[in-house]
Amino acid sequence: MPLGAESLLDVLAAHDVEVVFGLPGVHNLAIWEALRKQPGIRMIGVRHEQTAVYAADGYARATGKLGVAVVTTGPGAANTLGATGEAWASGSPVLVVATDIPSTLRRPGAHRGVLHETRDQRAMFVPVTKAAFDVPSAQELASYADKAVRQALRSPHGPVYLGVPTDFLSTEAPRHTLAEVESSCTVPDLAEAGRLVAASSRPLIWAGGGAARSGAGSAIGTLAAKLQAPIITTYGARGLTDSPLVVRGPVHAPPVGKLWDDADLVIAIGTDFDGMMTQNWSQPQPPALLAVNIDKAEANKNYPADVTLEGDAATVTAALAAAVSPKEGACDVEAVNAEVRALAEADSPDAAKLLRALEGTDATIVADMCIPGYWIGGFHHVTRPRGLAYPVGWGTLGFGFPAAIGAAVAHRTIAVVGDGGFLFACGDLATLKQEGLPLTIVLVDDGGYGMLRYDQQIANHTITGVDLTRPDFAKLAESFGIPAVTLNGFGDLRTALDASAGPSMIVVNASLEPPLNTSPRWYRKTAT
């Protein structure tokens, strides 16, 4: 009979897991030993537990597959919470496997002082996960692992915690046979939705992260073409369709916001209308709202829908597209896009140079919570599904570089980060070099926390705590064996990107003003 660690990995392999990100610790070494015998799963050892989960999240966003992080007990598990929260807020399918102290040393209700002991490790994860499980016995380890994986991958997606007492990993544990799961793609009654659509003359499609995760891009493109409806995409849905009706800019830009104001029907697909996209819900309730969502409550919690079609976004949208009649006339989306481009050029010529440097790239772009990242999240035209990862679920500064490590396992990746956020995880330059990942870091150095400096300026505060002592970033990268170049401004960025191949860094000395999609510049006035 296999040991618990082997049964755990068998379950992961059966679910087509090909890579795991982790950090060894005294309580999880049995998993590392079992990985040595499991050739189908690649273990990427990182330098901080938070990186393990960020990387798992980045991998999940880039591929649509399960991201897995394996960490150790107590402080190791606790180190993951910020990254787990980002995965939760962004709906990423991530499994966090954390060991716990030996079951034989645990006493209910007592903290005994065992190495790495936490009073209730699982409880730390409950607020930032979709589900959290403690394995009750070695015999049930594999079945609980299966349940945790299925929960993470079941729509709506999200991170799941699996706590495993360390002694279960070295105890004989039966293998678990995965049950066949029947897919249920039912389509609700479309009659009421059809009447709403038929009555509209200026429909607008708003597509969110749930639409992207379900692969609804093709169906949305078909529906938009039939209705001649512009498509606004949220940050999580950038690139989901190549339809010419996609609006290439954020709803925070007045030409795009006007599409919302002028629409007599909004068709919301896979979105919950979060505060970041709606300028804290200062967008007016549309005259009519049709929601397509896997979860009716989520669809209606911010803007109540007149009709909700509950089900998988791709399946339901395809059925809706087939059921509705074509409409004549169309919004001139190309003119809107030209207006948005001109607005961005006038607002910040330097940011426009950054955006032009990234045009047409087939690399996955991972942007951090930094001013260059805000410009990319709002104004970069993403040309394929899952081509952008941007941490506005929870807004976790420091996401960009470690999440890009995960994305780079699957695709050529560009991480756009600031000097402040990059320092959160700069030790994982060692991981980047060790694994030889196709990742280029574009590090924009503006001398500290540029967004917070701007916030202090507009509040008439004294500039405090945001101007940072930094290393010579190019030399830092080179000390890890990673080639680096330094540019003054964005003018030569595209040339430098074209010349970069494997692990590399491009340091850009530049300072940008925040774009319209950052809350201090929202044009709809509301409390931030």
Side-chain angles (χ1 to χ4, degrees):
M1 185 178 293
L3 300 181
E6 296 166 340
S7 289
L8 168 66
L9 295 182
D10 285 345
V11 169
L12 297 182
H15 281 286
D16 299 321
V17 171
E18 298 174 340
V19 62
V20 171
F21 305 90
L23 202 72
V26 66
H27 288 151
N28 71 9
L29 291 178
I31 297 177
W32 287 72
E33 173 62 16
L35 279 164
R36 189 176 59 81
K37 306 172 186 175
Q38 178 62 263
I41 300 179
R42 176 184 180 185
M43 169 57 88
I44 294 182
V46 298
R47 302 307 188 267
H48 194 278
E49 288 88 1
Q50 184 164 263
T51 293
V53 176
Y54 274 144
D57 185 359
Y59 176 83
R61 295 191 200 210
T63 64
K65 299 178 181 178
L66 181 72
V68 180
V70 174
V71 298
T72 195
T73 314
N79 278 343
T80 71
L81 290 172
T84 304
E86 173 58 42
W88 160 73
S90 292
S92 291
V94 170
L95 176 64
V96 181
V97 179
T99 47
D100 208 334
I101 68 167
S103 63
T104 52
L105 300 181
R106 173 77 72 188
R107 285 187 187 168
H111 180 269
R112 304 182 68 197
V114 178
L115 178 68
H116 299 332
E117 182 181 7
T118 304
R119 283 186 298 170
D120 189 343
Q121 186 169 290
R122 172 186 168 276
M124 298 192 299
F125 285 84
V126 169
V128 292
T129 55
K130 180 182 176 184
F133 303 109
D134 276 333
V135 177
S137 69
Q139 288 67 39
E140 296 169 281
L141 172 53
S143 64
Y144 266 73
D146 182 26
K147 179 165 65 172
V149 170
R150 291 182 190 277
Q151 185 73 279
L153 291 172
R154 183 178 300 121
S155 295
H157 298 151
V160 173
Y161 165 82
L162 183 68
V164 185
T166 182
D167 51 314
F168 294 173
L169 297 173
S170 302
T171 302
E172 288 189 347
R175 286 191 166 89
H176 174 74
T177 302
L178 273 59
E180 291 291 329
V181 178
E182 294 183 10
S183 60
S184 147
C185 295
T186 58
V187 176
D189 188 331
L190 300 176
E192 286 187 79
R195 285 191 286 271
L196 269 186
V197 173
S200 70
S201 57
R202 298 180 307 281
L204 169 70
I205 295 173
W206 177 293
R213 289 187 290 275
S214 76
S218 176
I220 289 172
T222 300
L223 178 63
K226 207 165 187 183
L227 301 181
Q228 290 299 292
I231 305 167
I232 291 176
T233 56
T234 69
Y235 298 127
R238 294 287 194 257
L240 93 166
T241 173
D242 60 0
S243 166
L245 292 167
V246 169
V247 178
R248 299 183 184 182
V251 72
H252 314 78
V256 183
K258 190 174 186 299
L259 295 176
W260 174 279
D261 296 340
D262 290 347
D264 62 358
L265 169 66
V266 172
I267 303 173
I269 304 173
T271 184
D272 64 357
F273 290 117
D274 64 82
M276 291 293 289
M277 287 304 306
T278 62
Q279 298 171 65
N280 281 350
W281 307 284
S282 58
Q283 292 177 188
Q285 175 79 24
L289 178 58
L290 167 61
V292 177
N293 203 297
I294 195 73
D295 186 323
K296 185 174 183 178
E298 285 293 298
N300 286 269
K301 69 183 181 184
N302 290 317
Y303 289 88
D306 297 280
V307 175
T308 302
L309 300 177
E310 193 169 10
D312 173 71
T315 302
V316 175
T317 303
L320 181 64
V324 298
S325 299
K327 290 187 178 292
E328 297 291 333
C331 165
D332 190 347
V333 173
E334 186 176 337
V336 173
N337 289 340
E339 192 175 353
V340 170
R341 283 196 301 274
L343 187 155
E345 288 273 0
D347 198 26
S348 176
D350 285 336
K353 291 177 183 177
L354 166 63
L355 295 170
R356 283 197 296 273
L358 297 172
E359 277 181 7
T361 180
D362 61 356
T364 299
I365 297 178
V366 182
D368 206 359
M369 290 292 287
C370 59
I371 294 176
Y374 303 146
W375 276 101
I376 290 167
F379 294 89
H380 173 60
H381 177 50
V382 184
T383 57
R384 62 176 177 81
R386 302 187 179 279
L388 172 69
Y390 181 50
V392 289
W394 225 23
T396 47
L397 178 61
F399 163 93
F401 171 46
I405 287 174
V409 173
H411 300 290
R412 167 90 174 96
T413 299
I414 299 169
V416 180
V417 302
D419 50 297
F422 175 74
L423 287 172
F424 283 30
C426 62
D428 274 289
L429 285 169
T431 303
L432 178 57
K433 174 62 176 178
Q434 184 170 309
E435 299 296 330
L437 299 173
L439 168 60
T440 297
I441 304 161
V442 176
L443 190 154
V444 182
D445 187 350
D446 67 356
Y449 300 127
M451 187 69 229
L452 299 175
R453 186 186 297 121
Y454 179 85
D455 289 335
Q456 290 180 344
Q457 288 169 343
I458 64 172
N460 293 317
H461 292 176
T462 301
I463 303 303
T464 307
V466 298
D467 295 328
L468 304 178
T469 297
R470 292 104 57 220
D472 182 321
F473 287 107
K475 288 182 178 177
L476 177 65
E478 288 166 353
S479 74
F480 284 90
I482 294 172
V485 297
T486 300
L487 308 176
N488 290 316
F490 297 103
D492 295 323
L493 178 56
R494 183 53 183 255
T495 300
L497 284 170
D498 289 343
S500 64
S504 58
M505 177 183 284
I506 302 169
V507 181
V508 182
N509 294 317
S511 180
L512 298 175
E513 292 286 298
L516 295 170
N517 49 308
T518 53
S519 58
R521 297 194 62 197
W522 288 346
Y523 78 94
R524 299 185 194 264
K525 301 302 181 184
T526 183
T528 58

